[in-house]
């Protein structure tokens, strides 16, 4: 019998608890999405969305006026800029119908001294004779002027490369009964804290979320393979891919697809007007002279800018261009195609510009060879940016944040790249130094030989031209001679290649030397360790990266594994 009574009691408690939870005060569960890109300054202000709180208790004014204060408190950044007007704060009955505004009054909304709290005092009039059962209060109703929030840039920050989190602005609803004035209620000097302190209430919510609507992705082509034709040094060799839906890397003896830059519509957040989605499908006019004048969902870009860097440059006479097709059949034209018809253009990063991108689209980065100039072996990286137009009128905050992404494209080898692993620089302790002997085994081609230090921490050091070698020619250089030539600073290119000190470092581990060459299919590099004090020397060539003829493909079963090769050329 006692066990039965205990079971009934437990069931009653559970039912009572469920009832309390079911009738606890509730804030609305949704919020508005504002595109991260359109938040550009703390001085900018954004209209707040409608916010509704459903009371747990009743408001009974059948015998006397009921006076209470409602508040929205920003709890995670931001500040109230303007308070809106009284018509924007309305009472709603439990059927979702607005209460007649003759039955209550709303004081002029105000903002606290710290700009974190928006508040207003509501009086439900006894003359209306209403007993509102679990009513709701709605802020920023369409019938009035909504409040605005500022200091949002401090909440969202800069749009980061490639991927972004989704910042948000949280808030809390507070309710005070028995208020004695329209000043801000604090539960001590004015009013009694009520709804937001009740058990089981949900009075915390999110005012805005800020998704990054647009992103860019960079990807190397991955179907088939391509390389420089080492026999001619002016064209390409390769194999076609097997997937018809994926861009082939090798397209012809004069054309390769290095990879793609893709514009993505990741989210459908609103523009700064809070009413129109900010979408790639509605681009601006574009162009270098474009200015921003709208907040109606238009993506007001100058252009899509794709900056491609080759570690050892491009072919003088070659062309780099953007194409909407997988086969690079046609260029987008205009500044989306660059002819590198000088040594200066071929050695510098190439900027490809497209004024009006065609919505959420993938653009191939295509490399066209032409003429008799050598194609240098290079690794390629790119920075893709949707550059936005500036404000037409200063401080109107119509401009938008740019989106950007960095990544690697397909590398083209075919020249020579060798790591001298047991290299003694001029800073090596113990008196040892390297004497590097470089031989050009070609009978017909001249080799242009480059070098670069790689520090023990993996960063790239100085680089430079070691010299040119006529067919069958040779040169010897001490590490001091080489140090003097490796005087050009490398640059961090955003794709994992970190720039370090130009000069060799004093280290117990030691720097390495990377040697590359253009114009030939093979190079012979020997490393002698020499101690001038003791007159001792050691032939240490067996510890360097594999020496091979780049004209011939090798299987991984070769005695010296493919992974022993230097994986890339110089980092400039």
């Amino acid at each position: 019998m006692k066990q039965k009574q205990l079971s009934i009691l437990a069931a009653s408690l559970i039912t009572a608890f469920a009832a309390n939870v079911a009738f606890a005060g509730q804030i609305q569960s949704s919020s508005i999405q504002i595109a991260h890109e359109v938040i550009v300054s703390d001085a900018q202000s954004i209209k707040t969305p409608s916010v509704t709180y459903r009371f747990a208790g009743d408001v009974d004014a059948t015998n006397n006026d009921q006076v209470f204060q409602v508040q929205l408190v920003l709890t995670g950044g931001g500040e109230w800029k303007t308070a809106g007007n009284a018509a924007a704060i309305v009472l709603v009955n439990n059927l979702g119908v607005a209460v007649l505004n003759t039955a209550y009054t709303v004081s002029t909304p105000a903002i606290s001294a710290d700009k974190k709290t928006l508040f207003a005092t509501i009086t439900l009039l006894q003359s209306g004779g209403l007993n509102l059962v679990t009513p709701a209060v709605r802020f920023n109703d369409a019938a009035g002027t909504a409040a605005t929030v500022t200091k949002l840039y401090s909440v969202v920050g800069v749009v980061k490369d490639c991927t972004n989190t989704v910042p948000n602005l949280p808030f809390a609803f507070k309710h005070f009964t028995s208020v004695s004035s329209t000043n801000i209620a604090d539960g001590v000097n004015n009013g009694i804290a009520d709804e937001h302190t009740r058990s089981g209430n949900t009075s915390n919510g999110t005012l805005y979320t800020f998704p990054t609507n647009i992103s860019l992705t960079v990807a190397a082509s991955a179907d088939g393979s391509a390389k420089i034709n080492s026999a001619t040094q002016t064209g390409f060799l390769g194999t076609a891919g097997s997937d018809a839906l994926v861009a082939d890397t090798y397209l012809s003896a004069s054309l390769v697809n290095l990879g793609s830059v893709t514009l993505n519509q990741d989210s459908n957040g609103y523009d700064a007007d809070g009413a129109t989605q900010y979408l790639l499908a509605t681009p601006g006019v574009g162009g270098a002279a474009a200015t921003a004048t709208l907040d109606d969902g238009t993506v007001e870009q100058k252009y899509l800018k794709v900056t491609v860097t080759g570690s050892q440059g491009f072919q003088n006479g070659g062309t780099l261009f953007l194409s909407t097709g997988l086969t690079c059949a046609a260029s987008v034209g205009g500044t989306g195609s660059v002819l590198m018809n000088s040594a200066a253009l071929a050695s510098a990063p190439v900027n490809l510009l497209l004024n009006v991108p065609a919505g959420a689209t993938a653009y191939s980065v295509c490399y066209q060879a032409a003429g008799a100039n050598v194609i240098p072996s290079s690794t390629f990286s790119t920075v893709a940016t949707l550059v936005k137009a500036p404000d037409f009128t200063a401080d109107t905050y119509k401009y938008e944040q740019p989106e950007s992404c960095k990544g690697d494209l397909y590398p083209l080898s075919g020249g020579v790249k060798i790591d001298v692993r047991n290299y003694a620089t001029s800073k090596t302790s113990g008196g040892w130094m390297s004497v590097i002997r470089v031989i050009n085994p070609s009978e017909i081609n001249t080799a242009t030989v480059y070098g670069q230090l790689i520090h023990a921490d993996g960063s790239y050091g100085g680089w430079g031209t070691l010299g040119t070698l006529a067919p069958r020619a040779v040169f010897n250089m001490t590490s001091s001679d080489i140090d003097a030539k490796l005087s050009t600073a490398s640059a961090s290119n955003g794709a994992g290649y970190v720039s370090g000190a130009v000069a060799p470092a004093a280290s117990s581990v030691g720097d390495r030397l990377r040697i590359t060459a253009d114009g030939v299919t093979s190079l012979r590099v020997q490393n002698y360790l020499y101690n001038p004090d003791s007159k001792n020397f050691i032939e240490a060539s067996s510890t360097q990266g594999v020496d091979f003829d780049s004209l011939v493909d090798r299987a991984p079963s070769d005695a010296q594994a493919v992974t022993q090769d230097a994986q890339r050329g110089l980092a400039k």
Side-chain angles (χ1 to χ4, degrees):
M1 183 65 178
K2 287 183 179 180
Q3 184 176 1
K4 182 177 180 181
Q5 288 174 333
L6 288 172
S7 298
I8 293 171
L9 177 60
S12 299
L13 289 172
I14 291 171
T15 302
F17 175 76
N20 285 337
V21 170
F23 291 104
Q26 298 291 320
I27 200 76
Q28 69 183 41
S29 59
S30 61
S31 61
I32 189 172
Q33 293 186 330
I34 301 293
H36 186 165
E37 295 95 323
V38 305
I39 304 301
V40 296
S41 170
D42 271 343
Q44 180 182 16
S45 60
I46 301 293
K47 182 175 68 174
T48 52
S50 174
V51 174
T52 302
Y53 180 87
R54 173 71 61 184
F55 285 68
D58 303 341
V59 182
D60 185 358
T62 54
N63 293 321
N64 54 272
D65 292 349
Q66 292 288 347
V67 183
F68 57 94
Q69 188 174 108
V70 289
Q71 301 178 358
L72 293 183
V73 183
L74 301 177
T75 57
E79 292 181 356
W80 293 105
K81 176 75 171 181
T82 60
N85 62 9
I89 300 176
V90 300
L91 291 177
V92 180
N93 66 24
N94 60 5
L95 298 177
V97 178
V99 176
L100 290 175
N101 58 15
T102 56
Y104 64 95
T105 64
V106 180
S107 68
T108 300
I111 297 171
S112 62
D114 64 1
K115 299 183 180 180
K116 294 297 184 182
T117 303
L118 171 70
F119 63 95
T121 299
I122 299 175
T123 302
L124 185 62
L125 301 169
Q126 186 272 336
S127 59
L130 294 179
N131 177 20
L132 298 179
V133 177
T134 61
V137 59
R138 181 185 300 140
F139 291 82
N140 305 314
D141 187 80
T145 300
T148 62
V149 175
T150 189
K151 295 293 180 69
L152 292 175
Y153 187 77
S154 292
V155 175
V156 303
V158 67
V159 173
K160 296 182 175 63
D161 292 343
C162 303
T163 58
N164 285 268
T165 58
V166 181
N168 66 82
L169 184 66
F171 74 97
F173 170 83
K174 292 187 177 183
H175 168 255
F176 297 85
T177 61
S178 303
V179 295
S180 57
S181 77
T182 57
N183 294 329
I184 187 168
D186 59 10
V188 177
N189 299 312
N190 184 21
I192 299 171
D194 187 9
E195 282 281 339
H196 62 282
T197 64
R198 296 193 183 197
S199 175
N201 85 90
T202 303
S203 57
N204 296 317
T206 301
L207 197 61
Y208 309 101
T209 57
F210 301 96
T212 304
N213 274 21
I214 300 167
S215 71
L216 291 98
T217 52
V218 174
S221 53
D223 203 23
S225 63
K227 66 178 182 179
I228 298 166
N229 184 339
S230 294
T232 65
Q233 294 284 307
T234 61
F236 305 113
L237 296 173
T239 56
S242 58
D243 190 339
L245 300 179
V246 178
D248 285 353
T249 302
Y250 176 76
L251 299 172
S252 75
S254 61
L255 184 62
V256 291
N257 186 335
L258 297 179
S260 62
V261 171
T262 305
L263 284 163
N264 309 290
Q265 187 73 54
D266 293 333
S267 187
N268 296 322
Y270 290 96
D271 207 336
D273 64 349
T276 316
Q277 290 177 326
Y278 181 72
L279 302 177
L280 281 167
T282 53
V285 295
T291 56
T293 61
L294 306 171
D295 57 7
D296 63 353
T298 302
V299 178
E300 294 184 280
Q301 82 291 339
K302 275 190 172 183
Y303 36 66
L304 172 65
K305 180 180 181 181
V306 179
T307 301
V308 183
T309 301
S311 61
Q312 299 199 65
F314 304 88
Q315 184 194 39
N316 185 349
T319 300
L320 208 63
F321 64 91
L322 297 177
S323 175
T324 55
L326 297 179
T327 60
C328 294
S331 166
V332 296
T335 52
S337 177
V338 174
L339 171 63
M340 298 162 288
N341 58 355
S342 70
L345 286 173
S347 62
V350 175
N351 293 317
L352 304 174
L353 307 179
L354 180 61
N355 288 351
V356 186
T361 305
Y363 294 93
S364 294
V365 181
C366 309
Y367 190 1
Q368 179 86 52
N373 289 322
V374 168
I375 302 172
S377 297
S378 283
T379 56
F380 301 99
S381 62
T382 190
V383 179
T385 306
L386 189 59
V387 179
K388 302 299 177 61
D391 267 358
F392 177 74
T393 304
D395 301 331
T396 55
Y397 312 113
K398 302 295 185 184
Y399 68 99
E400 303 133 21
Q401 292 197 57
E403 300 87 3
S404 184
C405 192
K406 302 174 183 178
D408 290 336
L409 299 175
Y410 192 88
L412 289 173
S413 62
V416 178
K417 46 188 187 298
I418 298 170
D419 273 358
V420 181
R421 295 173 180 169
N422 198 3
Y423 179 64
T425 73
S426 58
K427 296 291 182 66
T428 301
S429 59
W432 291 93
M433 67 182 211
S434 279
V435 178
I436 300 297
R437 181 175 176 84
V438 182
I439 304 167
N440 178 9
S442 175
E443 291 291 329
I444 57 175
N445 294 325
T446 296
T448 303
V449 183
Y450 305 90
Q452 183 165 40
L453 289 173
I454 304 176
H455 297 302
D457 63 0
S459 62
Y460 286 93
W463 66 275
T465 303
L466 298 183
T468 57
L469 285 172
R472 302 172 301 280
V474 60
F475 64 64
N476 296 331
M477 281 190 184
T478 67
S479 51
S480 296
D481 296 331
I482 292 172
D483 289 348
K485 291 181 177 290
L486 306 185
S487 58
T488 305
S490 60
S492 301
N493 69 359
Y497 310 137
V498 179
S499 174
V502 172
S507 166
S508 60
V509 179
D511 297 334
R512 306 194 305 280
L513 176 67
R514 178 160 294 172
I515 292 178
T516 69
D518 288 335
V520 293
T521 65
S522 184
L523 199 69
R524 300 293 182 260
V525 177
Q526 293 174 285
N527 176 28
Y528 297 91
L529 294 177
Y530 176 62
N531 192 314
D533 296 330
S534 64
K535 309 302 181 185
N536 289 327
F537 75 93
I538 304 169
E539 211 279 344
S541 304
S542 62
T543 61
Q544 67 199 35
V546 65
D547 184 7
F548 70 98
D549 188 321
S550 63
L551 183 62
V552 181
D553 287 323
R554 297 175 304 135
S557 58
D558 277 6
Q560 289 178 298
V562 173
T563 54
Q564 289 182 3
D565 301 345
Q567 297 298 300
R568 56 160 287 167
L570 304 191
K572 295 182 179 180

